Amino acid sequence: MSEELKKEERSLNFLEEIIEDDLKSGKYKSIVTRFPPEPNGYLHIGHATSICLNFGLTKKYGGYTNLRFDDTNPTTEDTEYVESIKDDVRWLGFEWKNELYASDYFDQLYGFAIQLINKGLAYVDDSTSEEIATLKGTPTEPGKNSPYRNRSIEENLDLFQRMRNGEFADGSRTLRAKIDMAHTNMLMRDPIMYRIKHAHHHRTGDKWCIYPMYDFAHGQSDAIEEVTHSICTLEFVPHRELYDWFIEQLGIYPSHQYEFARRNLTYTVMSKRKLLQLVNEKHVNGWDDPRMPTISGMRRRGYTASALREFCDRVGIAKRENSVDLGLVEFFVREDLNKTALRRMVVFDPLKVVITNYNGGDAGEEILHSENNPEDPAGGEREVPFSNELYIEREDFMENPPKKYFRLAPGQMVRLKSAYIIRCDEVIKDADGHVTELRCSYIPESKSGADTSGINVKGTLHWVSVKHAVTAELRLYDRLFRVEDPSSEEGDFKEYINPDSLTLVKAAYMEPAMRNAVFGEAYQFIRKGYFVLDKDSSTSGMVFNRTVGLKDGWKAK
RNA sequence: UGACCCAUGGUGUAAUGGUAACACUACUGAUUUUGGUUCAGUCAUUUAAGGUUCGAAUCCUUAUGGGUCAACCA
């Protein structure tokens, strides 16, 4: 274990290397990072990677992480999202030092803009957005200067003031940085700093009618907060040149931007736009639908915060495009749940078994005991009632079994988990030939924990006593899409939605201990999978979500 | 026909000029009152071509492939 840890410490990701160098050279004594979501959607597992990275780095190297909402576009942002984001970060197990908003800096940002106008590095442009686009050129052709580019400082100051005062209509003017219209980096071709939007902002209300663009807000916000390492995804690489330019021209704290590759997952989509479509067009039941790759969806599904953190840490980060197998997330979820989930017996698709030679004394039944978790000796046991009428899983019986079928078949024996060994004596069918019931006999000396029968059976089945059974609805989830990367397929990504992403079991039969099921507790339905109680449960009925199935090593032919 | 970023098993990530490794997956086998877990093992990797070097996944050059950039989004 210690060797393993040492090895892990030795192999740093590229950001850790940069930070260790910075710390060693004395560039910083401690570091500051930030997690900067835009409050216009729910967080997904890609954000979880960023959260674990940013918070993990300051935890490891000393320093702190701010939660900063990048709320510079009032038309798409909302407080509903602010709350969900805070919830998700907390649930993942991280604490931010300061809760901040880019909108907190609107006054300072306005001052920075004036500073640049005064230096002759920004101007008000009256061009329409089409004109700006035309003059911008293309990646292979240089752009051309705007006719408004050479206004005097005084005129720019006056115009910008009047933009702020609300004298102009939306879209009629912008403030642009004066850099180089022929620059090979399109972002350096006089980028827009401010645009006019007469819109209500979720925090500043109607105070402003001009709002800064991302590029004129993000780096400056980092600088104001003295963020040492500003970590973002690869698509911002070309922005770094502009990020540095503004900081240099303004002479403010030199934060630095570093980029890593965003985390992609197979069989799902990750863009907020697409997720929003799934929600709005009702392909899923809200942002927290357990099939969604959102943090709230995965939480509702039963994924644990520690499994997600472990996933993020052990998958690591780098700078190349990637697509992580959904199966890897499931591995970490199972690894975690195996250690903690309470074992219970639940029959999804019942087949009645009558034990013909069992009378169970006066009561006709007996109470057996079964461990809550074989991985956890301290986990205790619970009581499980046994009687002469049981349900087993229909798929655990075959009339004409293949070679290595360890389950029940005519004349074949199996153990009932924590109970007795039984033998199938007779198969009862209805008029159509469908199996409706099995007549079995039990071996009295084979009682679990006191087996003197000497009989060895290969198979062990889960079961539920018919008269003690409790019913509940089960929701079985599968991958949301049929293809690995729906976004790269022909046509609309929604055509590739998996029609079987949700399967309902209207009435599963559960052992009576499930009456005490509580929210947030993980259960392993033996031989079936991990489940959690869903919020749709009510006094009239319990609903369970399948978090993930058990790994299944047996392949029926 | 531009600029920038990237290229290691099926997947993800290491190796920082000196024996290509770890995890997942797949497959074998052992254990097992969950066909789960656990344990042991097997298969499988440096995009290509040149160059530098005693020695290259690593440094250089070129090619190839992938990605990003022409929003008053972030």
Side-chain angles (χ1 to χ4, degrees):
Chain A
M1 185 60 186
S2 66
E3 257 177 60
E4 208 174 301
L5 277 177
K6 256 187 263 167
K7 193 184 268 178
E8 207 118 25
E9 278 173 53
R10 246 184 264 125
S11 122
L12 305 173
N13 65 47
F14 76 99
L15 289 172
E16 292 170 322
E17 281 178 17
I18 289 168
I19 290 170
E20 291 204 357
D21 284 349
D22 288 346
L23 257 18
K24 205 180 298 169
S25 72
K27 187 172 175 185
Y28 306 111
K29 287 197 295 290
S30 66
I31 61 169
V32 180
T33 62
R34 100 270 91 114
F35 173 61
E38 184 189 10
N40 68 345
Y42 280 63
L43 261 24
H44 54 63
I45 189 158
H47 294 109
T49 303
S50 173
I51 292 169
C52 291
L53 229 200
N54 278 296
F55 285 91
L57 251 15
T58 52
K59 201 169 191 171
K60 178 170 179 181
Y61 292 107
Y64 59 84
T65 302
N66 288 334
L67 173 62
R68 184 178 73 234
F69 292 94
D70 236 334
D71 56 351
T72 57
N73 185 0
T75 52
T76 58
E77 295 153 5
D78 198 275
T79 20
E80 174 201 349
Y81 298 119
V82 170
E83 292 312 313
S84 77
I85 288 167
K86 285 159 67 178
D87 265 4
D88 288 346
V89 175
R90 271 192 292 252
W91 176 78
L92 264 179
F94 297 104
E95 270 175 55
W96 51 87
K97 168 90 167 183
N98 304 297
E99 177 183 333
L100 302 166
Y101 296 80
S103 54
D104 292 341
Y105 311 133
F106 280 174
D107 283 301
Q108 278 172 92
L109 259 16
Y110 183 77
F112 287 153
I114 295 200
Q115 214 176 305
L116 290 184
I117 294 174
N118 278 319
K119 284 182 80 176
L121 293 174
Y123 62 97
V124 173
D125 195 333
D126 302 357
S127 308
T128 63
S129 68
E130 294 74 32
E131 287 164 344
I132 288 178
T134 309
L135 291 174
K136 194 142 205 163
T138 69
T140 53
E141 300 162 65
K144 294 190 183 71
N145 287 349
S146 159
Y148 305 96
R149 197 173 198 260
N150 290 316
R151 292 221 247 231
S152 69
I153 290 173
E154 292 67 33
E155 190 182 3
N156 283 319
L157 250 16
D158 174 62
L159 252 16
F160 187 49
Q161 174 68 247
R162 290 166 60 195
M163 277 170 65
R164 177 189 183 164
N165 293 347
E167 293 182 29
F168 309 122
D170 285 8
S172 61
R173 284 183 166 84
T174 56
L175 181 72
R176 301 178 70 182
K178 193 192 253 187
I179 307 180
D180 177 4
M181 289 306 291
H183 206 287
T184 52
N185 182 348
M186 298 284 291
L187 286 158
M188 299 296 277
R189 321 243 261 227
D190 290 9
I192 292 170
M193 294 161 60
Y194 270 91
R195 76 284 214 187
I196 301 172
K197 270 179 193 269
H198 290 268
H200 188 83
H201 187 279
H202 75 114
R203 300 199 92 227
T204 60
D206 298 313
K207 179 179 175 188
W208 297 88
C209 62
I210 55 171
Y211 292 93
M213 298 287 289
Y214 166 86
D215 286 304
F216 196 66
H218 202 98
Q220 288 81 341
S221 301
D222 286 341
I224 290 167
E225 294 168 25
E226 303 202 343
V227 168
T228 55
H229 301 263
S230 179
I231 300 164
C232 61
T233 45
L234 246 32
E235 66 268 29
F236 289 96
V237 168
H239 292 252
R240 188 176 61 234
E241 196 170 11
L242 182 54
Y243 181 105
D244 291 339
W245 189 88
F246 278 131
I247 282 179
E248 196 190 331
Q249 298 305 328
L250 258 13
I252 52 182
Y253 183 88
S255 295
H256 289 282
Q257 176 185 301
Y258 301 92
E259 313 86 11
F260 71 99
R262 69 164 64 242
R263 178 67 56 216
N264 296 304
L265 256 196
T266 55
Y267 301 104
T268 191
V269 292
M270 213 69 101
S271 93
K272 279 191 203 169
R273 206 194 92 248
K274 293 197 175 84
L275 294 175
L276 184 63
Q277 261 185 76
L278 293 174
V279 172
N280 286 344
E281 296 170 23
K282 311 266 188 224
H283 294 102
V284 295
N285 302 311
W287 284 99
D288 68 345
D289 186 296
R291 292 166 294 184
M292 291 281 272
T294 51
I295 293 177
S296 52
M298 294 187 296
R299 171 180 13 173
R300 183 171 173 189
R301 180 156 172 167
Y303 287 14
T304 59
S306 76
L308 255 24
R309 271 187 260 118
E310 195 66 11
F311 168 76
C312 293
D313 287 352
R314 279 167 58 184
V315 143
I317 54 128
K319 295 186 75 162
R320 58 170 166 168
E321 299 290 324
N322 60 77
S323 185
V324 177
D325 198 312
L326 186 61
L328 192 55
V329 189
E330 296 184 338
F331 165 79
F332 288 110
V333 172
R334 287 194 193 100
E335 183 182 59
D336 189 31
L337 259 21
N338 178 50
K339 291 181 291 199
T340 56
L342 299 174
R343 270 53 172 181
R344 295 292 185 263
M345 294 197 284
V346 177
V347 173
F348 291 23
D349 182 14
L351 174 59
K352 192 172 178 181
V353 167
V354 175
I355 316 281
T356 51
N357 62 338
Y358 183 84
N359 59 25
D362 296 341
E365 60 187 60
E366 73 184 295
I367 299 298
L368 301 174
H369 298 269
S370 191
E371 75 276 6
N372 281 322
N373 187 345
E375 307 297 314
D376 178 14
E381 330 178 299
R382 84 280 182 188
E383 297 184 338
V384 188
F386 185 85
S387 68
N388 68 340
E389 284 195 348
L390 312 171
Y391 285 135
I392 64 165
E393 212 67 66
R394 187 164 282 273
E395 65 175 16
D396 284 338
F397 170 79
M398 272 184 102
E399 199 168 9
N400 300 297
K403 278 263 177 321
K404 284 197 168 176
Y405 190 76
F406 300 154
R407 309 177 188 182
L408 208 53
Q412 211 159 298
M413 291 195 285
V414 292
R415 170 165 298 279
L416 295 178
K417 171 74 182 171
S418 299
Y420 299 93
I421 291 174
I422 59 168
R423 182 197 301 110
C424 176
D425 302 319
E426 192 183 345
V427 181
I428 313 284
K429 297 177 182 176
D430 64 15
D432 300 326
H434 292 126
V435 178
T436 54
E437 185 182 308
L438 263 25
R439 296 289 170 102
C440 300
S441 47
Y442 86 118
I443 315 297
E445 305 79 41
S446 68
K447 185 170 177 176
S448 184
D451 188 349
T452 56
S453 71
I455 300 170
N456 257 327
V457 292
K458 289 290 262 181
T460 300
L461 307 185
H462 61 281
W463 54 274
V464 170
S465 167
V466 172
K467 71 175 161 194
H468 301 94
V470 183
T471 60
E473 176 182 322
L474 266 29
R475 295 176 182 170
L476 312 181
Y477 300 104
D478 198 355
R479 47 186 62 150
L480 225 200
F481 290 89
R482 302 157 12 218
V483 295
E484 278 203 13
D485 183 7
S487 306
S488 72
E489 298 284 338
E490 298 277 310
D492 188 358
F493 77 100
K494 295 191 293 303
E495 290 168 26
Y496 299 91
I497 290 176
N498 176 8
D500 302 317
S501 62
L502 170 60
T503 307
L504 287 184
V505 176
K506 285 285 183 205
Y509 295 83
M510 312 191 294
E511 61 169 280
M514 286 308 290
R515 254 191 251 278
N516 304 319
V518 294
F519 289 103
E521 181 84 61
Y523 300 94
Q524 186 201 93
F525 294 171
I526 291 178
R527 303 205 305 136
K528 286 302 202 177
Y530 296 99
F531 286 78
V532 283
L533 194 59
D534 186 78
K535 67 177 185 184
D536 286 350
S537 297
S538 67
T539 45
S540 60
M542 291 188 283
V543 176
F544 289 88
N545 294 320
R546 181 172 68 191
T547 308
V548 63
L550 256 27
K551 201 177 150 192
D552 191 359
W554 185 68
K555 300 163 291 294
K557 57 167 198 162

